[in-house]
């Protein structure tokens, strides 16, 4: 697959951290390509580099070497503020622990990225937010604070927030990790619907049952990526 | 960004305790600035107005003799003199009821109360004095227990009490309330004063001149004194003042400057607290900052949110500080003005101060918060979103961490307090800085008070007497000394002489360089007098025309040890004296010189005379001194020897100390503001520590810590911070204490010597322990209310 055809293009990516006993090589020259509209799972044992890989793709962290091109943007060419702006418009991140701002209501949490990105007119933002919440079946929770919601409801609110600026790419770092299995199933179904609607979804998961439902699964082991037992090429 | 602004407002509202702490700390500093700047402006404005409204004279002459209307008219016709008025002064005794004790008072009369040109007496209630009626000064009515309008008091006429009704209450700009006056003044008509003291001519002159300058006033005073000399009238004392400027303005300006510096320091301390608090807010909200960056927020947008929060803190603090500052400014100004006998204005705002307060309340917190916010917002998303665990921050890497880690002999809970206290060194340093500053200033103010009080005590101790009596006219020593010595409570009596003169450096033909001096003649064989020498030596028995000069006069004349000065004794001619010593002395506005009595008597062409007896008592307690003075007064009354004044040493000393106490009170007020800011800072730091260590608290409780245990740990941290601040404040206060005392002394023209007040160090330790306990109580209580479940849940 060419770089231009891929939504995510990772080339010879290296990430090292400084540890007390010397550098820790978390990612060792990994390569990955993800097409638009793909649903990709990322699995691996603790400390294997899964979250680090996601952080590289979302621009939350910077690689030590290699290239990361997402939606045509070489992330290394952007500074901190550039990455923030780019992220607001191109990536929706869903966290394991929801990470809703505690002093904003659910609908305000969804409006917040729109305020930062200024992609929609101010008058349009509340309506869009409510529409997204309706899709997540959270209309009646819109004006409540996150602390009053259940885990599942908070995660669905976080998904609505991730969709606020209609990004092409959604990334979830164990988004069902803090939910019971029934709720996790409901939330996962939301992800499947989004992919069907044309979003690209990259998700880290520990759950075997959910992984079986993901069309494409990448294994991360000792800083290397494996797919179907082999290392993905360029 | 509209949604994000709601976060700002809600963060402030949902953390009311923290908001209150920040607002209070900003308010304290802004209020202090407003109070001092506004009160300085109010006082100066009012003092100038009062001075102008009273048509203040430029020259006061207290005469040795009396001037009649003809002479007064002649003086007024001098081309240099614009206005001349005479006043008649005398001494009288009074009592409230027939059974009461006689007390000393001044008696005053002017030519015509309805027609005044200078130093206007202002009738505030009732009517001007008439036959058998008198008026009292409004600032003296309450302190001296004078009767109300329409009521009666008794004046001593001969041996009998004569009733007078208080017909009026007036304001005399040349009078002041205690402690700047030591006895009340009663205002009567010329006819009345003649019936009471036996004369109706003028014993004081008040002169107004055109185009005032100090040099011009000196020149005109000299011309008038020469004219009076030719008429055989001497001048005991001369006072020059600007008609535009109140006599206390220079001192108030100096004190105002010191207070303004302290107020700005308070504001600086508040800013430090803002830095501390914003650091903590940013630390607490780091994950939220990470999320905002994840969803597209750039640094500029996020910084603006937090700066907006700080601006709101500033605005809320202004709502508190501006009215409080205005109230405090008006109250303080009213207090000082009433002491100085200046009419108190109605409560008012000072617009210029308002602008400064608004600027301080908004700009200072924003500037203080800028760096912590910019630094906090610059954190990378990865760092901001790292899972939050116990022991965030790298404890154990610093030198102090490692040093404290070696402390193992104490119980674990105490060790926990000890190590936790120094975990966040930046925050600790800022908090300690505030407490150390407040503590050092407190101890310096106490030392200043102690230094001045000691100086006063040394001066009075050096004078060596327990009581003194002033004779209305010089008396023969052989006649009066035995009378005094015969009293059973008299240990020793010495007969002195007082004389006014003008002094000039020898050979200096410039009359502008003459100064007024009060000469005090000390017995050659005297043993009481032990002056506070600042240079040279004391008088020796073999000395002739040797003189001890007050160091202030020496400075004014530009002379020093070994120089010669010329004394002009008026009609008694001039004489030359050699300065053998310089002294520090508060008597008569520091315009004193000491010589031998017999040498001075010779120059005055008299022998064996004294105007003053100084007495040492066997029982020198205040009661003993008071009884002695009363006995002597009665004795001399019986003998028909008139006294102008009889007073105890402790009354004299008390009055001097009371004047300096006002200064100490003023300085201490500002110190209290700083101590409050320090306490708020400490409480804030501990509150932040509790918030940051929620998970640790949860873990401690999970492993068995009771609420009491958790509370004690935080109280221990608070106490430790307080004690450590005291340990550092003590050497700082000692180092800075001497220059501070000298600076204050320079402002009030009182060169007191530095004496460390050791009790001040202990008093501050006590205060800081109490403040630390009070400041740590609420955070410690909050810590005990955190449940295991709540604290270990991911937020």
């Amino acid at each position: 697959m060419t770089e231009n055809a891929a939504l995510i293009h990772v080339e010879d990516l290296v990430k090292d951290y400084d540890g007390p006993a010397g550098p820790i090589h978390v990612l060792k020259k990994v390569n990955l390509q993800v097409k638009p509209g793909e649903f990709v799972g990322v699995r691996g044992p603790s400390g294997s580099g899964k979250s680090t890989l996601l952080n590289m793709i979302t621009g939350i962290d910077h690689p030590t070497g290699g290239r990361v091109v997402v939606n045509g943007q070489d992330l290394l060419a952007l500074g901190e503020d550039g990455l923030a702006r780019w992220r607001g418009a191109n990536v929706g991140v869903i966290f394991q622990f929801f990470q809703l701002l505690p002093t904003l209501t659910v609908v305000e949490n969804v409006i917040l990225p729109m305020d930062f990105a200024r992609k929609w007119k101010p008058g349009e933002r509340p309506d869009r937010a409510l529409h997204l919440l309706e899709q997540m079946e959270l209309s009646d929770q819109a004006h409540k604070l996150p602390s009053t919601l259940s885990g599942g409801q908070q995660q669905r609110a976080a998904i609505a927030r991730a969709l606020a600026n209609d990004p092409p790419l959604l990334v979830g770092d164990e988004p069902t990790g803090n939910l019971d299995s029934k709720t996790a199933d409901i939330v996962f179904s939301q992800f499947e619907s989004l992919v069907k609607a044309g979003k690209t979804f990259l998700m880290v998961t520990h759950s075997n049952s959910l992984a079986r439902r993901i069309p494409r699964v990448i294994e991360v082991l000792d800083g290397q990526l494996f797919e179907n037992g082999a290392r993905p090429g360029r | 960004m509209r949604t994000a602004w709601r976060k700002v407002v809600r963060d402030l509202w949902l953390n009311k305790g923290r908001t209150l702490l920040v607002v209070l700390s900003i308010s304290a500093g802004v209020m202090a600035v407003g109070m001092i700047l506004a009160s300085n402006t109010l006082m100066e404005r009012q003092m100038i107005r009062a001075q102008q409204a009273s048509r203040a004279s430029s020259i006061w002459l207290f005469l040795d003799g009396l001037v009649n209307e003809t002479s007064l008219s002649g003086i007024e016709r001098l081309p240099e003199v614009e206005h001349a008025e005479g006043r008649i002064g005398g001494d009288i005794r009074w009592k409230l009821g027939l059974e009461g004790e006689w007390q000393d008072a001044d008696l005053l009369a002017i030519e015509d109360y309805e027609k005044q040109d200078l130093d206007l007496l202002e009738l505030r209630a009732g009517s001007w004095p008439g036959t058998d009626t008198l008026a009292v000064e409004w600032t003296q009515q309450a302190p001296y227990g004078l009767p109300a309008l329409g009521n009666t008091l008794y004046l001593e006429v001969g041996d009998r009490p004569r009733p007078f009704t208080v017909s009026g209450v007036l304001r005399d700009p040349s009078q002041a309330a205690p402690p700047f006056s030591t006895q009340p003044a009663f205002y009567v008509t010329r006819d009345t004063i003649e019936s009471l003291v036996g004369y109706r001519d003028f014993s004081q002159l008040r002169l107004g001149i055109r185009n005032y300058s100090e040099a011009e006033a000196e020149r005109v005073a000299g011309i008038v004194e020469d004219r009076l000399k030719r008429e055989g009238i001497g001048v005991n004392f001369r006072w020059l003042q600007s008609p535009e400027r109140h006599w206390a303005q220079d001192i108030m300006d100096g004190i105002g400057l010191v207070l303004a510096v302290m107020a700005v320091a308070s504001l600086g301390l508040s800013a430090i607290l803002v830095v501390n608090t914003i650091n903590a807010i940013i630390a607490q909200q780091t994950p939220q900052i990470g999320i905002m960056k994840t969803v597209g927020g750039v640094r500029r947008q996020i910084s603006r949110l937090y700066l907006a929060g700080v601006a709101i803190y500033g605005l809320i603090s202004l709502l508190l500080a501006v009215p409080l500052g205005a109230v405090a400014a008006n109250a303080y100004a009213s207090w000082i003005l009433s002491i100085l006998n200046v009419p108190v204005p109605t409560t008012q705002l000072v617009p210029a101060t308002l602008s400064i307060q608004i600027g301080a309340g908004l700009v200072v917190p924003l500037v203080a918060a800028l760096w912590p916010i910019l630094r906090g917002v610059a954190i990378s998303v990865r760092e901001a979103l790292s899972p939050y665990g116990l022991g965030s921050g790298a404890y154990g890497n610093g030198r102090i961490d490692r040093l404290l880690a070696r402390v193992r002999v104490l119980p674990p809970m105490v060790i926990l307090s000890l190590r936790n206290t120094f975990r966040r060194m930046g925050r600790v340093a800022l908090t300690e800085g505030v407490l150390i500053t407040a503590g050092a200033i407190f101890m310096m103010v106490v030392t200043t008070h102690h230094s001045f009080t000691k100086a006063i005590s040394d001066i009075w101790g050096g004078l060596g007497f327990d009581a003194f009596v002033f004779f209305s006219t010089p008396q023969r020593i052989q006649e009066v000394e035995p009378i005094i010595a015969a009293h059973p409570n008299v240990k020793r009596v010495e007969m002195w002489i007082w004389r006014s003169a003008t002094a000039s450096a020898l050979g200096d033909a410039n009359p502008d360089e003459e100064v007024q001096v009060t000469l005090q003649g000390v017995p050659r064989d005297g043993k009481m007098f032990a002056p506070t020498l600042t240079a040279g030596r004391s008088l020796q028995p073999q000395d002739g025309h040797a003189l001890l000069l007050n160091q202030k006069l020496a400075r004014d004349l530009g002379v020093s040890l070994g120089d010669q000065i010329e004394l002009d004794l008026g009609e008694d001619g001039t004489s030359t004296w050699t300065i053998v010593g310089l002294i520090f002395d508060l008597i008569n506005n520091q315009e004193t010189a000491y010589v031998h009595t017999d040498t001075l008597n010779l120059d005055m062409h008299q022998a064996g005379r004294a105007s003053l007896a100084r007495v040492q008592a066997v029982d020198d307690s205040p009661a003993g001194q008071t009884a002695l003075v009363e006995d002597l007064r009665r004795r001399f009354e019986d003998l028909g020897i008139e006294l102008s004044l009889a007073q105890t040493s402790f009354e004299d000393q008390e009055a001097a100390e009371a004047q300096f106490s006002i200064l100490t009170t003023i300085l201490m007020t500002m110190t209290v503001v700083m101590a409050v800011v320090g306490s708020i800072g400490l409480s804030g730091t501990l509150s932040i520590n509790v918030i940051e260590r929620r998970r640790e608290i949860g873990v401690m409780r999970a492993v068995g810590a009771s609420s009491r245990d958790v509370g004690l740990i935080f109280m221990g941290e608070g106490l430790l911070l307080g004690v450590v601040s005291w340990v550092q404040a003590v050497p700082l206060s000692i180092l800075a204490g001497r220059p501070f005392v000298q600076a204050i002394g320079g402002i009030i023209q009182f060169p007191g010597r530095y004496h460390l007040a050791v009790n001040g160090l202990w008093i501050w330790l006590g205060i800081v322990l109490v403040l630390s306990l009070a400041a740590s109580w609420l955070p410690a209580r909050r810590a005990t209310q955190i449940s295991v479940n709540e604290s270990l849940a991911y937020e």
Side-chain angles (χ1 to χ4, degrees):
Chain A
M1 195 190 316
T2 63
E3 183 181 309
N4 292 337
L7 184 68
I8 300 172
H9 176 83
V10 174
E11 184 183 326
D12 291 337
L13 182 66
V14 175
K15 179 61 185 178
D16 298 329
Y17 288 113
D18 288 326
I24 302 167
H25 308 292
V26 180
L27 294 174
K28 301 168 187 170
K29 273 200 169 184
V30 301
N31 294 281
L32 178 66
Q33 297 211 333
V34 176
K35 287 193 301 233
E38 278 203 275
F39 191 166
V40 180
V42 180
R43 279 202 319 182
S46 287
S48 58
K50 307 184 296 297
S51 297
T52 305
L53 177 64
L54 254 56
N55 286 347
M56 297 297 125
I57 291 168
T58 56
I60 283 173
D61 201 354
H62 307 287
T64 312
R67 286 180 78 216
V68 181
V69 180
V70 180
N71 201 20
Q73 175 66 55
D74 182 348
L75 299 191
L76 278 178
L78 295 175
E80 195 67 31
D81 283 347
L83 279 169
R85 268 190 221 102
W86 172 84
R87 234 184 343 260
N90 290 276
V91 184
V93 182
I94 305 158
F95 297 94
Q96 179 181 358
F97 293 102
F98 329 129
Q99 303 283 25
L100 296 171
L101 295 191
T103 53
L104 292 180
T105 61
V106 170
V107 68
E108 287 165 351
N109 265 281
V110 178
I111 295 172
L112 187 67
M114 298 185 221
D115 281 351
F116 284 140
R118 295 192 187 112
K119 192 170 168 183
W120 316 96
K121 288 192 189 129
E124 289 172 353
R125 295 172 200 168
D127 289 336
R128 177 170 168 76
L130 287 169
H131 174 67
L132 288 168
L133 287 172
E134 201 184 317
Q135 286 182 329
M136 295 295 131
E137 292 171 22
L138 284 175
S139 304
D140 50 349
Q141 312 296 330
H143 299 288
K144 293 192 181 164
L145 290 172
S147 57
T148 64
L149 271 58
S150 69
Q153 288 172 325
Q154 287 190 59
Q155 194 60 298
R156 296 205 312 272
I159 296 169
R161 182 181 64 187
L163 293 169
N165 290 322
D166 194 23
L169 173 64
L170 295 172
V171 172
D173 191 347
E174 300 199 47
T176 60
N178 214 33
L179 305 172
D180 61 81
S181 55
K182 188 168 170 226
T183 311
D185 193 55
I186 295 168
V187 168
F188 189 83
S189 302
Q190 295 282 3
F191 297 154
E192 286 175 321
S193 305
L194 290 168
V195 171
K196 273 202 189 107
K199 299 295 181 194
T200 306
F201 200 96
L202 187 64
M203 175 177 143
V204 168
T205 184
H206 267 133
S207 165
N208 286 332
S209 60
L210 291 180
R212 278 195 288 274
R213 288 162 68 176
I214 301 174
R216 180 184 173 194
V217 176
I218 309 285
E219 302 280 345
V220 184
L221 190 63
D222 290 336
Q224 309 236 357
L225 302 188
F226 296 92
E227 192 172 358
N228 298 325
R231 287 178 65 179
R234 285 186 204 175
Chain B
M1 284 289 286
R2 275 189 270 182
T3 306
W5 298 121
R6 284 184 215 173
K7 170 185 151 46
V8 171
V9 173
R10 283 202 205 123
D11 279 346
L12 294 177
W13 179 250
L14 291 172
N15 292 281
K16 286 188 265 299
R18 185 178 67 201
T19 301
L20 185 64
L21 272 178
V22 177
V23 163
L24 283 178
S25 54
I26 300 171
S27 296
V30 174
M31 191 203 89
V33 165
M35 174 185 152
I36 297 308
L37 294 182
S39 60
N40 283 352
T41 303
L42 287 172
M43 285 192 290
E44 185 180 5
R45 195 189 290 170
Q46 199 60 19
M47 284 158 82
I48 291 172
R49 266 194 209 142
Q51 193 78 340
Q52 289 170 347
S54 69
R55 285 192 237 149
S57 59
S58 302
I59 302 166
W60 296 3
L61 299 176
F62 292 80
L63 308 176
D64 179 14
L66 299 170
V67 158
N68 58 26
E69 280 97 338
T70 310
S71 183
L72 183 63
S73 304
I75 289 169
E76 193 164 29
R77 283 196 296 272
L78 287 171
E80 295 83 359
V81 174
E82 194 178 28
H83 292 293
E85 271 189 6
R87 292 202 175 189
I88 309 140
D91 303 309
I92 197 80
R93 295 214 296 167
W94 73 283
K95 57 184 175 181
L96 197 55
L98 285 168
E99 308 308 320
E101 293 289 320
W102 289 113
Q103 300 172 69
D104 292 321
D106 293 321
L107 203 58
L108 290 164
I110 64 172
E111 193 169 4
D112 188 345
Y113 287 96
E114 302 282 359
K115 220 175 86 172
Q116 305 174 51
D117 286 320
L118 292 172
D119 297 326
L120 305 185
L121 303 178
E122 176 202 338
L123 188 66
R124 294 182 67 90
S127 59
W128 294 117
T131 311
D132 293 336
T133 66
L134 54 76
V136 297
E137 219 284 332
W138 75 300
T139 57
Q140 297 173 348
Q141 212 172 358
Y144 292 121
L146 303 180
L149 208 57
N151 287 359
T152 303
L153 56 77
Y154 296 88
L155 298 183
E156 192 182 34
V157 184
D159 280 335
R160 296 180 195 288
R162 182 169 143 194
F164 279 80
T165 304
V166 177
S167 66
V169 179
L170 56 79
R171 175 182 161 260
D172 180 355
S174 53
Q175 290 287 328
F180 294 104
S181 69
T182 52
Q183 57 196 39
F186 299 133
Y187 299 80
V188 295
T189 62
R190 275 186 88 179
D191 291 339
T192 303
I193 204 169
E194 186 179 18
S195 71
L196 294 174
V197 301
Y199 52 85
R200 61 185 292 117
D201 287 337
F202 307 111
S203 58
Q204 294 179 26
L205 291 182
R206 305 284 177 98
L207 307 175
I209 62 174
R210 295 175 192 86
N211 305 319
Y212 172 85
S213 71
E214 199 176 326
E216 177 64 5
E218 294 262 9
R219 188 182 76 84
V220 174
I223 291 169
V224 173
E225 285 170 13
D226 285 342
R227 185 191 170 96
L228 289 169
K229 200 193 298 194
R230 288 194 293 276
E231 294 176 16
I233 299 168
V235 172
N236 283 333
F237 182 68
R238 176 210 289 177
W239 170 270
L240 304 180
Q241 65 172 0
S242 164
E244 306 291 321
R245 199 166 164 77
H246 193 278
W247 61 267
Q249 189 62 59
D250 283 344
I251 293 174
M252 294 315 301
D253 285 349
I255 294 172
L257 180 62
V258 169
L259 292 178
V261 168
M262 291 172 83
V264 168
S266 294
L267 192 61
L269 296 183
S270 302
I272 291 173
L273 294 188
V274 168
V275 170
N276 238 6
T277 310
I278 298 301
N279 270 331
I281 291 171
I282 297 293
Q284 192 193 7
Q285 297 215 342
T286 295
Q288 293 188 36
I289 292 171
I291 294 301
M292 284 193 279
K293 283 184 152 189
T294 305
V295 300
V298 299
R299 281 176 295 189
R300 190 170 35 85
Q301 289 170 319
I302 301 171
S303 305
R304 255 193 278 156
L305 293 180
Y306 288 100
L307 285 172
V310 173
I312 294 174
Y313 285 142
L315 281 170
I316 299 173
S317 75
L318 285 175
L319 290 176
L320 269 179
V322 167
L324 279 178
V327 165
N330 278 272
Y332 170 65
S334 299
W335 176 55
I336 297 292
L337 289 173
S338 61
I339 290 172
L340 299 176
N341 197 7
V342 173
V344 173
T346 51
T347 304
Q348 50 194 267
L349 285 177
V350 178
T353 304
L354 202 57
S355 320
I356 293 171
Q357 275 187 294
I358 290 170
L362 289 176
V363 170
V364 168
L366 283 170
V367 167
L370 191 62
W371 173 241
I373 288 173
L374 290 178
R375 194 181 54 176
V377 164
I379 191 173
S380 73
V381 178
R382 184 186 69 80
E383 275 177 60
L385 295 179
S386 294
Y388 183 79
L390 294 186
S392 66
Y395 186 80
N397 289 343
R399 223 180 302 170
I400 293 179
D401 296 348
R402 291 200 296 275
L403 187 68
L404 291 175
R406 288 205 205 126
V407 175
R408 284 175 204 146
V409 294
L410 299 167
M413 270 180 51
V414 177
I415 291 179
L416 199 52
S417 274
L418 180 64
R419 292 185 192 150
N420 281 336
T421 300
F422 297 100
R423 255 167 99 166
R424 297 280 197 191
M425 282 311 296
R427 186 182 305 158
V428 165
L430 288 178
T431 309
E432 287 289 283
V434 174
L435 285 171
I436 290 165
T437 305
I441 289 178
F442 175 89
M443 291 185 272
M444 289 194 303
V445 168
V446 173
T447 287
T448 303
H449 177 80
H450 177 65
S451 299
F452 289 159
T453 312
K454 178 116 185 20
I456 292 169
S457 172
D458 286 347
I459 290 167
W460 262 259
L463 292 173
F465 64 92
D466 299 315
F468 64 88
V469 292
F470 254 105
F471 303 104
S472 296
T473 52
Q475 300 292 316
R476 289 178 56 220
I477 294 173
Q478 280 181 331
E479 197 178 309
V480 297
E481 195 176 1
I483 296 169
I484 299 170
H487 191 287
N489 194 22
V490 169
K491 188 158 77 174
R492 185 181 174 86
V493 54
E494 289 182 5
M495 304 302 295
W496 290 38
I497 193 142
W498 269 52
R499 178 61 194 263
S500 290
T502 51
S504 56
L506 192 67
D508 197 333
N510 187 354
D512 291 345
E513 298 301 327
E514 285 180 350
V515 296
Q516 287 282 300
V517 60
T518 301
L519 295 172
Q520 301 210 41
V522 181
R524 196 171 287 273
D525 59 349
K527 296 208 178 353
M528 287 187 200
F529 183 54
T532 308
L533 284 163
T534 59
R537 61 168 177 83
S538 191
L539 294 173
Q540 305 289 329
Q542 66 272 21
D543 283 334
H545 279 78
L547 171 139
L548 299 180
L549 188 62
N550 191 295
Q551 58 172 1
K552 180 179 174 293
L553 278 186
R555 222 172 27 239
D556 293 343
L557 279 173
V559 296
S560 57
L561 205 62
D563 288 346
Q564 289 190 313
I565 61 170
E566 190 174 85
L567 295 179
D568 185 346
L569 299 172
E571 61 189 10
D572 291 321
T574 60
S575 50
T576 303
W577 299 73
T578 304
I579 302 168
V580 299
L582 296 177
I583 57 164
F584 172 45
D585 183 346
L586 284 179
I587 314 287
N588 258 43
N589 288 326
Q590 303 182 56
E591 291 174 350
T592 46
Y594 293 82
V595 298
H596 281 308
T597 304
D598 48 4
T599 311
L600 182 57
N601 264 333
L602 267 176
D603 285 353
M604 288 165 64
H605 311 297
Q606 64 185 30
R609 295 270 175 177
S611 42
L612 155 73
R614 294 204 191 273
V615 183
Q616 272 181 359
V618 174
D619 171 11
D620 61 357
S621 66
Q625 290 181 14
T626 304
L628 172 61
V629 162
E630 277 313 301
D631 287 347
L632 289 176
R633 200 196 291 274
R634 266 195 295 272
R635 185 79 181 101
F636 282 116
E637 220 175 85
D638 294 343
L639 292 170
I641 297 174
E642 207 173 301
L643 302 180
S644 60
L645 183 64
Q647 196 161 298
T648 62
S649 159
F650 92 86
E651 279 170 335
D652 219 24
Q653 191 174 332
E654 244 181 20
E657 283 171 2
Q659 293 178 26
F660 291 103
S661 291
I662 291 172
L663 173 66
T664 315
T665 304
I666 294 169
L667 292 175
M668 199 52 83
T669 309
M670 283 312 305
T671 311
V672 165
V673 170
M674 294 172 114
V676 165
V677 171
S679 183
I680 292 170
L682 181 58
S683 191
T685 294
L686 293 170
S687 296
I688 290 161
N689 288 353
V690 167
I691 292 167
E692 282 187 345
R693 299 199 330 246
R694 284 170 66 90
R695 292 181 154 243
E696 273 179 45
I697 293 167
V699 169
M700 279 194 290
R701 290 175 85 74
V703 299
S706 66
S707 295
R708 186 170 169 274
D709 294 332
V710 170
L712 282 177
I713 288 168
F714 283 93
M715 300 276 283
E717 286 179 39
L719 275 173
L720 191 55
L721 282 171
V723 169
V724 167
S725 80
W726 178 81
V727 166
Q728 296 175 88
V730 165
L732 181 62
S733 75
I734 291 171
L735 268 172
R738 191 182 300 270
F740 187 75
V741 168
Q742 284 168 353
I744 301 292
I747 288 167
I748 59 173
Q749 294 159 31
F750 181 112
R753 287 192 189 145
Y754 171 77
H755 287 280
L756 175 67
V758 176
N759 64 330
L761 312 185
W762 299 118
I763 292 171
W764 180 250
L765 177 60
I767 292 172
V768 86
L769 287 175
V770 169
L771 284 179
S772 303
L773 282 172
S776 48
W777 182 80
L778 202 58
R781 188 163 168 267
R782 253 190 245 123
T784 65
Q785 289 168 342
I786 294 172
S787 71
V788 180
N789 195 29
E790 188 189 314
S791 58
L792 292 181
Y794 193 93
E795 43 175 28

